[in-house]
Amino acid sequence: MGDIVRFVSKSELERARLIREARAIYDSIFPPADPVREPQERDESQGVEA
């Protein structure tokens, strides 16, 4: 009953699609860092330096 319907213009939908496509291309070229491994590597390097 209390649903709000938001109008989304065609240009806004196209902009969102282009951003998603660009993000996919960027991620295929520069894969995101593994969030699970990255902190472990930092911890190991801090242990060696200390």
Side-chain angles (χ1 to χ4, degrees), residues 23-42:
R23 170 80 54 191
I25 293 169
Y26 182 89
D27 287 345
S28 71
I29 297 171
F30 304 104
D34 187 2
V36 176
R37 287 188 61 201
E38 191 173 343
Q40 292 174 350
E41 292 172 358
R42 288 181 186 162

Side-chain angles (χ1 to χ4, degrees), residues 5 8-9 11-12 19-20 22 25 27 31 33 45 47:
V5 178
V8 181
S9 67
S11 62
E12 191 175 343
I19 289 171
R20 284 192 307 271
I25 293 169
D27 287 345
S45 65

Side-chain angles (χ1 to χ4, degrees), residues 4-21:
I4 298 174
V5 178
R6 182 174 165 257
F7 174 75
V8 181
S9 67
K10 210 173 200 181
S11 62
E12 191 175 343
L13 289 173
E14 179 68 5
R15 179 180 177 274
R17 184 189 68 78
L18 290 172
I19 289 171
R20 284 192 307 271
E21 187 176 318

